[in-house]
Amino acid sequence: MKYLLDRVDEQILCALKANARASHAELSGKVNLSRNAVRVRIERLEREGFIKGYTIVTGDGGDRGPLTTALMFVYRHDRMRGGEVIQALRAIPEVVACDVMTGDFDLLVRVESPQADRIRQIWQSISELPGVRDTLTAFALSSVIRK
């Protein structure tokens, strides 16, 4: 049975979204539980998939300069049996997100790289994957909201 979030779980997740570095002690004060109870809840939220990982979002390429972002719309030959395309996308480090979509295109792939030419290389390799029928790529001019 799928775990259902209660009010305290929601408060913990909200606090972590605001500050992912919040300590168990800080969180315990916000939700009126002991540090140990907060730790147990966070471990359960991780196990149940509500917290899927910890990441660093810098908004730029750090020492490598600003990031170029491209959105690639991928059309597969067969939506139902196109899992090998998704597996190949998982292996590309610059692919930061991939969503299965409804409508005309199948996948929306977000690619970020400090080098625009690297995005061209990724586009070329994606378009040559078995199972990919077509692609459409748009470059982001700027990012105005990033969470």
Side-chain angles (χ1 to χ4, degrees):
M1 184 165 120
K2 185 74 175 160
Y3 177 75
L4 298 175
L5 296 176
D6 65 13
R7 184 182 56 78
V8 175
D9 291 331
E10 293 283 355
Q11 289 175 324
I12 291 171
L13 290 173
C14 184
L16 287 172
K17 283 180 188 176
N19 178 10
R21 295 184 61 178
S23 67
H24 291 164
E26 183 180 338
L27 293 170
S28 70
K30 291 184 185 230
V31 299
N32 297 319
L33 290 177
S34 70
R35 287 187 310 233
N36 191 49
V38 167
R39 180 189 55 79
V40 168
R41 281 182 178 258
I42 289 173
E43 288 173 354
R44 184 175 57 229
L45 290 167
E46 290 171 341
R47 260 193 328 272
E48 295 293 329
F50 293 100
I51 298 173
K52 294 188 179 182
Y54 300 89
T55 188
I56 298 169
V57 178
T58 61
D60 62 27
D63 294 338
R64 300 173 296 168
L67 288 174
T68 300
T69 300
L71 299 175
M72 296 183 185
F73 303 94
V74 177
Y75 302 80
R76 295 179 291 176
H77 287 293
D78 188 341
R79 285 182 170 188
M80 301 310 290
R81 290 177 284 192
E84 61 277 351
V85 173
I86 295 171
Q87 290 294 26
L89 293 172
R90 280 191 177 109
I92 302 171
E94 293 88 352
V95 171
V96 297
C98 177
D99 298 308
V100 177
M101 306 298 289
T102 62
D104 292 337
F105 56 90
D106 301 315
L107 302 172
L108 174 58
V109 180
R110 183 180 184 97
V111 180
E112 295 179 350
S113 174
Q115 299 97 18
D117 192 56
R118 176 64 182 139
I119 291 180
R120 183 197 56 77
Q121 294 168 355
I122 294 167
W123 163 78
Q124 187 170 8
S125 66
I126 290 173
S127 64
E128 294 172 352
L129 286 172
V132 171
R133 180 171 42 92
D134 199 4
T135 63
L136 174 68
T137 301
F139 283 86
L141 298 176
S142 65
S143 183
V144 293
I145 299 173
R146 187 168 185 109
K147 296 183 180 182

